[in-house]
Amino acid sequence: MKPQNRPNILFISLEDTTPRFGCYGDTIAHTPNIDRLAENGCRYPNAFSTAGVCAPSRSAIITGMYQTSIGTHHMRTGGENKNTSVPIPYSAVPPPHVRTFTEYLRAAGYYCTNNNKTDYQFTTPITAWDDNGNSAHWRHREDGHPFFSVFNPSVTHESGMWEKEDRPLTTNPDDVELPPYLPNTPKAREALARQYDNISSADVQVGKLLDQLEEDGLTERTIVFLWSDHGEGLPRGKRWLYDAGIRIPLIVRWHGEITPNTQNNQLVSLIDLGPTVLSLCDVQIPQHIQGQSFLGPQKVERDYIFAARDRLIESYDMIRAVRDKKYKYIRNYYPEKPYLQWIPYRNRHPVMQEMWRLHAENKLQDDELTMFQYPRPTEELYDTENDKYELRNLAGNGTHTNVLERMRNTLGEWQSEFGDMGFIPETQMLDTWYPNGEQPQTDAPLFIPINASHPGVETAQDTVELEAPMLLHLHCSTQGASIAYTTDAGWKLYTEPLRLPQGKHTIRTKAIRIGYKESTENTIQVNVF
């Protein structure tokens, strides 16, 4: 398929959001633009993230690899944390074959932009995007190029539920319904009402993007995906592997291919987004990618989704989960740890503050005490069809022995197949990546001019003069490195020898392996006569 005949792809990536949209049946939500998208597309009610927090989840999305298999599972690696022995910040170092899936799109002729959140647990490689920043937009591409563009409205982040004096509520707090494991107090209802207001603000941004597609005449040629990086930022939601923390909205609009206003109940994991895009864009999915396409010619339906929780800023934990359409199995590797470990940022949440206040006053009752149970069970099993809040643990009652064994075995098989670096101490992992505490650096690219009289020899010269026809091969000796080059403005992904016409050419290059320091920049002047 020629690049100009391939579909454009638009990702609209929300934060910290469960499906509190009108199109999902929520009568309080005011989401006309998202509902309009769903009316012309398909909803996926069984879509889940691989983690209950953003950075491990976004790492899995951008690489198509489970964060536990490539060492990006601890939240977080890029921030400052004075309360752990781990030297933070650091950039995770996945195996050398791991790439951002956008590199495969760029190599196929796609113009790839990200506006503007990354948070991948490693420094974003220069080879990942044609444009990455606040102004990145498909409108900056050259004519004839298909695009893959990501926009990240950030207004639904957990912190948006903090009280702000200058922002009156639009949603009536008396109308919202809190889960039964959270205290039903005015302060708690106000926090959830703010989330509804924030979702409405995000909806406005969604509408602007859809309108821009329409203005550019691209609506029918662009496949639109709307999703959230994980569940919403309420206690027992964000950071946890219950559905409140990992179930996410997913809507896909594809004119002429997806029946409008439909629902598809297949299981989808966010790790599947990358391979799905590759499938839709007629790009072969590399064998090492662990996600699978849920649309397009390379489609595969999955039987289970998997999720993991590990260090959360200050506090270590290790929980794994597997879910099919009906049952959720959770394994707690540290049952001796309390549910509510010390995570200062989370404690700023007004609902969390209400929970601690009422617990100190002995005023929490029944399900409101769920997060204060001690110790945790080693295993949890829930019937998600009949117990949507996952409050009735079936693991120990003997009535679901076969289900328990099946889910337990499935989790173990997944860990064996893909590996689980959660069993490796983080300090040991870092010692392997950063010998003597030093981050390795990618080797600088080499220039190898090629023509009939010069069959290809590495050169250290700053200027080369060769007769046409002339090819310039670039090479980096670091395993797993990608090379970027530029002849004028903007860094391009190097995929094959550059065919240089007659004239003078100045070519700058640098290379990067994910997790390594970027190489030094090399420059060559090539005169082709």
Side-chain angles (χ1 to χ4, degrees):
M1 187 185 298
K2 294 181 179 180
Q4 60 267 31
N5 295 327
R6 292 178 175 178
N8 304 308
I9 308 288
L10 171 62
F11 272 12
I12 304 175
S13 161
L14 305 181
E15 294 183 290
D16 302 17
T17 306
T18 49
R20 293 186 183 274
F21 304 154
C23 57
Y24 274 83
D26 193 309
T27 58
I28 298 174
H30 180 69
T31 52
N33 294 297
I34 294 173
D35 297 347
R36 168 165 59 105
L37 182 69
E39 287 173 4
N40 292 286
C42 181
R43 301 177 307 281
Y44 291 82
N46 289 317
F48 300 87
S49 60
T50 64
V53 283
C54 55
S57 173
R58 288 178 180 270
S59 168
I61 293 166
I62 197 63
T63 63
M65 309 286 284
Y66 288 107
Q67 69 271 15
T68 47
S69 74
I70 60 173
T72 56
H73 49 297
H74 290 301
M75 175 71 187
R76 76 180 44 248
T77 65
E80 183 177 349
N81 176 15
K82 299 177 181 178
N83 301 297
T84 179
S85 59
V86 175
I88 292 175
Y90 68 85
S91 187
V93 184
H97 55 269
V98 175
R99 299 280 191 279
T100 65
F101 77 84
T102 55
E103 282 198 18
Y104 305 114
L105 290 173
R106 293 187 72 191
Y110 271 79
Y111 180 76
C112 296
T113 70
N114 181 62
N115 185 323
N116 64 344
K117 185 176 178 117
T118 53
D119 211 11
Y120 302 145
Q121 302 280 62
F122 48 77
T123 302
T124 306
I126 192 172
T127 49
W129 302 101
D130 288 283
D131 194 1
N132 176 32
N134 291 328
S135 63
H137 202 290
W138 70 76
R139 288 176 168 174
H140 301 155
R141 75 194 190 285
E142 296 178 5
D143 290 342
H145 280 263
F147 66 81
F148 169 70
S149 289
V150 182
F151 289 82
N152 296 275
S154 60
V155 292
T156 55
H157 186 266
E158 168 191 22
S159 58
M161 289 192 233
W162 300 177
E163 185 174 358
K164 295 178 175 62
E165 295 180 359
D166 62 341
R167 206 175 68 190
L169 286 169
T170 300
T171 303
N172 186 345
D174 293 334
D175 292 339
V176 305
E177 181 181 352
L178 287 155
Y181 49 79
L182 299 180
N184 186 18
T185 67
K187 186 175 181 179
R189 290 195 301 273
E190 287 173 5
L192 182 52
R194 285 188 203 98
Q195 175 69 352
Y196 275 106
D197 284 359
N198 295 336
I199 290 173
S200 181
S201 296
D203 181 80
V204 173
Q205 296 185 38
V206 171
K208 290 179 179 178
L209 289 169
L210 298 180
D211 289 346
Q212 287 173 3
L213 282 179
E214 190 70 32
E215 291 166 8
D216 295 351
L218 296 170
T219 296
E220 294 190 358
R221 294 166 48 199
T222 304
I223 306 173
V224 180
F225 293 72
L226 182 142
W227 46 273
S228 174
D229 56 0
H230 54 77
E232 72 185 357
L234 289 173
R236 205 174 183 258
K238 183 175 181 177
R239 301 178 182 87
W240 292 97
L241 306 186
Y242 304 106
D243 277 9
I246 64 171
R247 181 170 177 251
I248 54 102
L250 175 62
I251 300 170
V252 182
R253 186 183 72 184
W254 184 9
H255 282 280
E257 298 293 338
I258 286 181
T259 303
N261 199 21
T262 55
Q263 176 173 298
N264 188 316
N265 292 323
Q266 72 181 91
L267 285 167
V268 178
S269 173
L270 284 183
I271 198 175
D272 301 335
L273 287 176
T276 299
V277 169
L278 297 180
S279 175
L280 294 172
C281 296
D282 195 32
V283 177
Q284 183 175 336
I285 300 171
Q287 286 295 312
H288 71 268
I289 283 186
Q290 297 162 349
Q292 51 199 55
S293 175
F294 65 90
L295 281 170
Q298 301 176 68
K299 174 181 176 179
V300 179
E301 291 207 22
R302 58 169 60 245
D303 297 317
Y304 301 95
I305 62 95
F306 301 89
R309 163 178 161 128
D310 292 274
R311 176 173 59 76
L312 296 167
I313 315 295
E314 298 82 5
S315 297
Y316 280 99
D317 206 344
M318 183 173 173
I319 306 176
R320 300 292 180 264
V322 56
R323 191 193 194 284
D324 61 18
K325 290 182 181 179
K326 181 175 175 62
Y327 291 104
K328 162 87 66 62
Y329 172 79
I330 296 173
R331 181 179 296 167
N332 291 293
Y333 284 86
Y334 300 135
E336 74 281 1
K337 290 182 179 289
Y339 278 108
L340 297 177
Q341 297 185 67
W342 183 60
I343 303 175
Y345 190 83
R346 181 208 58 203
N347 285 357
R348 296 172 61 187
H349 199 298
V351 179
M352 194 71 252
Q353 292 171 0
E354 287 290 86
M355 292 172 67
W356 282 118
R357 177 182 67 81
L358 293 169
H359 181 57
E361 297 173 0
N362 288 317
K363 291 183 179 179
L364 294 177
Q365 298 180 2
D366 304 323
D367 290 335
E368 295 172 350
L369 288 164
T370 299
M371 297 305 291
F372 295 95
Q373 295 178 62
Y374 185 86
R376 302 186 207 176
T378 302
E379 295 181 300
E380 301 174 55
L381 179 69
Y382 300 103
D383 179 346
T384 60
E385 287 184 354
N386 298 301
D387 178 19
K388 71 174 184 176
Y389 293 115
E390 295 162 286
L391 292 169
R392 308 293 172 249
N393 186 5
L394 305 174
N397 67 8
T399 60
H400 291 74
T401 303
N402 292 339
V403 175
L404 179 65
E405 185 175 352
R406 171 173 63 86
M407 301 295 272
R408 181 192 294 145
N409 291 340
T410 299
L411 179 64
E413 291 167 0
W414 172 73
Q415 290 174 304
S416 296
E417 179 179 1
F418 298 115
D420 191 336
M421 296 180 71
F423 292 108
I424 303 173
E426 190 173 13
T427 51
Q428 180 180 326
M429 190 171 66
L430 281 174
D431 286 342
T432 302
W433 289 342
Y434 288 34
N436 301 315
E438 293 292 327
Q439 183 181 16
Q441 184 171 17
T442 313
D443 293 329
L446 305 175
F447 297 107
I448 304 171
I450 300 173
N451 72 1
S453 61
H454 196 283
V457 179
E458 171 195 344
T459 180
Q461 299 177 8
D462 294 332
T463 302
V464 174
E465 293 192 4
L466 287 174
E467 186 177 0
M470 155 95 185
L471 298 175
L472 184 65
H473 184 76
L474 306 181
H475 171 76
C476 178
S477 58
T478 299
Q479 184 180 9
S482 297
I483 300 173
Y485 74 96
T486 183
T487 56
D488 41 39
W491 289 93
K492 299 178 182 179
L493 176 69
Y494 175 77
T495 58
E496 59 184 359
L498 308 179
R499 187 174 297 275
L500 302 180
Q502 288 185 335
K504 294 183 178 181
H505 308 276
T506 300
I507 298 163
R508 297 158 52 210
T509 69
K510 51 186 172 181
I512 182 67
R513 172 181 166 179
I514 291 179
Y516 280 36
K517 291 180 183 178
E518 195 175 83
S519 77
T520 57
E521 185 177 308
N522 270 357
T523 303
I524 192 171
Q525 177 76 44
V526 182
N527 298 329
V528 183
F529 59 89

